């Protein structure tokens, strides 16, 4: 792969060398061109090593052992939490709850906060472009509580239409909205939504699954009430995610799952619950993956989130420029089509080639993209699309990947005999 | 997979045979593949002997699902409903005559499932309990 050469072109050190998988070849002998980071990112060696080191050197359960490796595991686990807190500029580490992923974090809020605070006639407001993970939990919550689910509309470019927001916010208790659309890459105006929701006394959960990996995020500057993310989309392992919540909200919420670790004292009749954040972490946590996620955060912080954003913006601009030639041959790009309003995602269709066929043809060239509805079926219906082909970028992608994508699309055009 | 997109496949994709609807179908079935959003509907006309006298399919999907369905549906005309029920994955692959990668097998088999459901519906209609 031409990673080294492109890294020089980009004036950056060779990030690709940090990701062992990017040196792999497919069974057809093609270099792996990974353009599906919006689904899950690749992992740098430091993260793989952190997992390995934990299991080899200090695997022990946390928060109870008195022996040395148990103390070391507990420290590393809590230090990882502190790293995430700094990364998001949270006020304190106790406001970060470990979950399995963003989906579980949203469900935690829907069950715990939602169950305690929503009543018939209250309104839950989401947008039309949410991932199923930030839609279905609210549908179920509305069913359980008799609350009404409303939607912030999107336009054909995937931008939220905020002109009717104040009407939609009437009787609203909670707004749940993505920070970045996983299907279109649109960066959404969450700060404005938070301000207007707060003005009527509603709280806001921001689904940062696609934003935290790509943009500098400051939960206090955003004044987010809840912010959720998944480690696996930001260089970390699968199976670990985060719920950030303001202390006052988390303290007032009832526990979500019950069991060991989340209690202070237990009698046969009743229990009192642990303090934050452990009140929401029942049972043995995903210790290894939390620690390794801490290493991913270190890696991202060292790379620099501003730097990352600049890198992706430059790459997107280059991709739009290269793809323009194909637009004349029937390529359609969805979403804002503007590197300043979009984060590393390009969603497209090519003439009458179905997205799945496109993905299959690209696969023969070692190029990994995603085809389908991207877990946003209502949005696809809204945009009148059955499926799109989505290429998504991250810090390890460079111009050579865009060039490979364009060459792959040209191959597809030839196979399908497009003029 | 490179080899899949041959000219005759693209021809079936772009010009599917027996595509559309029957005015008075005797049996109908439809299904979708939620993974890719592919949709398919099959309509059958059955004669007294229990054979398919006319057939149509409709829907949308990738080249693999549409071309496989078009070829399969074409071959179903004149067959008895029972023999349609006996069709399996191998019959489809034989029909298509080209290797299909495991990740795309579902696409290739969408038409088979819907055709068999339609045949079942036809049998049920012919022999009400
Ligand atoms: C915007 C958005 N929200 C939520 C999720 C759910 O993430 P996870 O499956 O890791 O819980 C995703 C993952 O694709 C996403 O893109």
């Amino acid at each position: 792969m031409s990673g080294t050469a492109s890294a020089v072109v980009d004036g950056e050190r060779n990030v690709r060398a940090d990701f062992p998988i990017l040196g792999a070849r497919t069974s057809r002998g093609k270099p792996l061109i990974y353009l599906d980071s919006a689904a899950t990112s690749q992992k740098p060696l430091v993260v793989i090593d952190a997992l390995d080191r934990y299991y080899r050197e200090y695997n022990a359960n946390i928060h109870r052992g008195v022996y040395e490796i148990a103390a070391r595991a507990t420290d590393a686990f809590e230090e990882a939490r502190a790293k995430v807190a700094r990364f998001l500029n949270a006020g304190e580490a106790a406001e970060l709850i470990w979950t399995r992923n963003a989906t579980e974090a949203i469900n935690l809020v829907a069950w715990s906060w939602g169950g305690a605070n929503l009543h018939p006639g209250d309104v839950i407001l989401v947008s039309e472009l949410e991932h199923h993970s930030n839609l279905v939990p609210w549908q179920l919550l509305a069913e359980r509580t008799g609350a009404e689910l409303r939607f912030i509309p999107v336009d054909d470019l995937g931008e939220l239409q905020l002109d009717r927001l104040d009407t939609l916010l009437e009787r609203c208790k909670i707004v749940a909205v993505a920070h970045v659309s996983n299907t279109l890459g649109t960066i959404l105006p969450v700060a404005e939504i938070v301000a207007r929701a707060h003005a009527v006394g509603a709280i806001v959960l921001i689904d940062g699954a696609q934003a935290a990996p790509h943009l500098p995020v400051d939960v206090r500057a955003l004044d987010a009430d809840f912010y959720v993310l998944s480690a696996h989309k930001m260089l970390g392992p699968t199976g670990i995610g985060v719920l950030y919540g303001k202390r006052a909200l988390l303290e007032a919420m009832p526990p979500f799952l019950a069991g060991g670790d989340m209690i202070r004292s237990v009698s046969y009749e009743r229990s009192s619950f642990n303090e934050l954040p452990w009140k929401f972490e029942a049972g043995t946590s995903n210790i290894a993956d939390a620690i390794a996620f801490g290493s991913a955060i270190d890696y991202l912080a060292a790379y620099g989130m501003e730097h990352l954003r600049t890198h992706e913006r430059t790459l997107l601009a280059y991709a739009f420029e290269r793809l323009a030639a194909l637009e004349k041959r029937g390529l359609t790009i969805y979403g804002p089509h503007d590197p300043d309003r979009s984060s590393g995602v390009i969603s497209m269709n090519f003439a009458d080639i179905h997205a799945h066929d496109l993905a299959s043809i690209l696969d023969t060239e070692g190029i990994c993209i995603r085809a389908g509805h991207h877990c946003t079926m209502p949005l696809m219906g809204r945009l009148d699309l059955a499926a799109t082909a989505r290429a998504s970028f991250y810090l390890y992608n460079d111009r050579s990947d865009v060039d490979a994508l364009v060459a792959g699309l040209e191959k597809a055009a030839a196979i399908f005999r497009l003029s | 997979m490179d080899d899949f997109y041959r000219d005759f496949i693209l021809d079936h994709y772009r010009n599917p045979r027996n595509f559309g609807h029957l005015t008075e179908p005797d049996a109908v079935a439809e299904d979708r593949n939620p993974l890719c959003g592919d949709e398919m509907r099959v309509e059958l006309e059955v004669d007294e002997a229990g054979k398919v006298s006319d057939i149509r399919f409709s829907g949308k999907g990738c080249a693999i699902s549409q071309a496989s369905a078009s070829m399969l549906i074409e071959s179903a005309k004149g067959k008895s409903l029972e023999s349609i029920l006996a069709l399996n994955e191998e019959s489809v692959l034989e029909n298509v005559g080209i290797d299909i990668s495991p990740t795309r097998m579902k696409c290739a088999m969408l038409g088979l499932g819907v055709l068999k459901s339609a045949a079942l519906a036809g049998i049920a209609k012919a022999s009400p309990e």
Side-chain angles (χ1 to χ4, degrees):
Chain A
M1 154 138 296
S2 53
T4 313
S6 325
V8 173
V9 171
D10 288 352
E12 288 178 2
R13 82 187 178 80
N14 191 1
V15 168
R16 294 174 103 102
D18 297 337
F19 292 79
I21 203 170
L22 297 181
R25 285 183 179 263
T26 68
S27 64
R28 292 162 189 268
K30 305 276 181 182
L32 192 72
I33 313 278
Y34 190 72
L35 295 175
D36 196 19
S37 295
T40 197
S41 75
Q42 296 303 343
K43 322 303 174 197
L45 196 56
V46 287
V47 168
I48 301 166
D49 281 347
L51 283 172
D52 189 71
R53 201 174 322 115
Y54 167 75
Y55 284 123
R56 283 178 194 276
E57 294 177 14
Y58 61 103
N59 171 52
N61 212 329
I62 49 172
H63 297 147
R64 14 186 185 254
V66 293
Y67 47 87
E68 183 181 306
I69 58 170
R72 190 175 160 201
T74 305
D75 287 351
F77 180 78
E78 292 304 336
E79 177 54 25
R81 192 195 308 273
K83 286 173 185 175
V84 181
R86 285 194 292 275
F87 186 77
L88 297 176
N89 195 32
E92 47 172 330
E95 291 177 317
L96 288 125
I97 317 290
W98 293 120
T99 62
R100 281 189 302 140
N101 45 39
T103 303
E104 186 178 87
I106 295 167
N107 276 277
L108 192 164
V109 174
W111 278 97
S112 171
W113 184 90
N117 291 284
L118 282 189
H119 304 286
D122 289 343
V123 167
I124 305 165
L125 184 60
V126 301
S127 88
E128 283 181 347
L129 55 64
E130 298 308 318
H131 188 280
H132 297 161
S133 289
N134 196 30
L135 171 59
V136 184
W138 306 113
Q139 291 174 338
L140 296 184
L141 177 64
E143 267 173 38
R144 284 198 301 275
T145 59
E148 177 194 344
L149 189 59
R150 285 187 194 153
F151 297 89
I152 306 174
V154 294
D155 67 11
D156 292 342
L157 287 178
E159 302 271 11
L160 294 187
Q161 297 303 99
L162 298 186
D163 38 307
R164 286 184 50 242
L165 184 61
D166 294 330
T167 316
L168 290 168
L169 280 168
E170 277 166 23
R171 290 185 286 117
C172 180
K173 287 278 173 63
I174 185 165
V175 183
V177 67
H179 194 169
V180 165
S181 158
N182 63 305
T183 303
L184 302 169
T186 332
I187 301 171
L188 302 164
V190 285
E192 179 183 350
I193 293 171
V194 170
R196 288 168 70 178
H198 284 174
V200 299
I203 63 165
V204 181
L205 176 144
I206 300 175
D207 173 2
Q210 296 293 347
H214 301 278
L215 311 174
V217 172
D218 182 331
V219 289
R220 279 190 290 178
L222 287 173
D223 202 14
D225 299 291
F226 297 108
Y227 197 96
V228 307
L229 56 85
S230 276
H232 69 90
K233 293 188 197 285
M234 44 196 300
L235 311 185
T238 51
I240 191 83
V242 167
L243 166 67
Y244 159 81
K246 285 181 181 165
R247 175 178 273 280
L249 284 166
L250 292 173
E251 271 181 347
M253 281 157 58
F256 173 45
L257 300 175
D261 249 8
M262 52 77 71
I263 41 76
R264 169 162 296 138
S265 72
V266 177
S267 71
Y268 281 116
E269 291 74 29
R270 63 178 51 83
S271 305
S272 62
F273 302 117
N274 206 336
E275 59 196 66
L276 291 176
W278 307 291
K279 169 175 139 186
F280 290 105
E281 293 175 0
T284 298
S285 289
N286 185 351
I287 304 163
D289 292 317
I291 293 171
F293 182 37
S295 299
I297 294 288
D298 287 341
Y299 187 96
L300 286 173
Y303 185 88
M305 294 308 286
E306 292 288 356
H307 181 200
L308 201 163
R309 174 74 187 125
T310 306
H311 171 79
E312 288 185 0
R313 203 195 277 134
T314 311
L315 199 55
L316 263 188
Y318 178 67
F320 286 137
E321 184 190 311
R322 290 284 335 258
L323 292 170
L326 292 172
E327 285 179 88
K328 297 186 191 94
R329 299 176 68 187
L331 186 84
T332 306
I333 297 175
Y334 307 101
H337 219 133
D338 172 355
D340 289 332
R341 276 147 67 215
S342 156
S343 157
V345 169
I346 298 183
S347 224
M348 58 197 151
N349 272 313
F350 198 3
D352 70 344
I353 311 177
H354 191 282
H356 268 86
D357 295 318
L358 205 52
S360 281
I361 292 169
L362 292 175
D363 175 51
T364 62
E365 297 297 303
I367 304 168
C368 313
I369 63 153
R370 181 134 305 222
H373 51 62
H374 318 297
C375 292
T376 54
M377 288 171 86
L379 173 66
M380 300 296 278
R382 161 70 188 77
L383 299 176
D384 204 17
L385 295 169
T388 72
R390 181 187 72 184
S392 53
F393 303 100
Y394 210 8
L395 45 75
Y396 38 69
N397 292 115
D398 61 26
R399 286 166 179 243
S400 70
D401 297 318
V402 174
D403 295 342
L405 174 67
V406 171
L409 291 170
E410 275 163 359
K411 180 181 173 188
I415 288 174
F416 270 76
R417 306 197 184 289
L418 302 182
S419 47
Chain B
M1 189 52 63
D2 268 343
D3 302 334
F4 182 83
Y5 299 98
R6 303 254 179 93
D7 282 347
F8 70 94
I9 299 279
L10 294 181
D11 181 42
H12 272 276
Y13 173 52
R14 290 194 168 122
N15 310 295
R17 321 294 194 262
N18 303 296
F19 196 84
H21 300 278
L22 294 172
T23 30
E24 277 178 67
D26 295 305
V28 171
E30 42 188 32
D31 195 12
R32 57 194 337 236
N33 179 345
L35 189 74
C36 41
D38 285 6
E39 296 168 359
M40 198 163 294
R41 177 181 168 94
V42 172
E43 301 172 11
L44 302 179
E45 194 181 278
V46 187
D47 64 17
E48 289 93 65
K51 293 200 164 133
V52 173
S53 49
D54 208 355
I55 187 164
R56 293 284 185 283
F57 85 105
S58 53
K60 52 183 181 187
C62 61
I64 296 184
S65 75
Q66 297 299 293
S68 314
S70 172
M71 283 183 250
L72 180 72
I73 298 289
E74 200 173 28
S75 74
K77 217 184 264 188
K79 282 205 169 93
S80 70
L81 296 179
E82 275 74 18
S83 65
I84 285 178
L85 288 186
L87 294 172
N88 56 24
E89 294 198 356
E90 253 130 67
S91 350
V92 175
L93 296 179
E94 245 165 57
N95 227 322
V96 175
I98 274 171
D99 273 356
I100 291 181
S101 74
T103 53
R104 303 301 302 279
M105 207 54 116
K106 263 203 168 131
C107 310
M109 297 306 154
L110 183 61
L112 175 68
V114 185
L115 175 63
K116 287 172 83 168
S117 303
L120 263 182
I123 290 172
K125 193 178 165 194
S127 53
E129 326 257 299

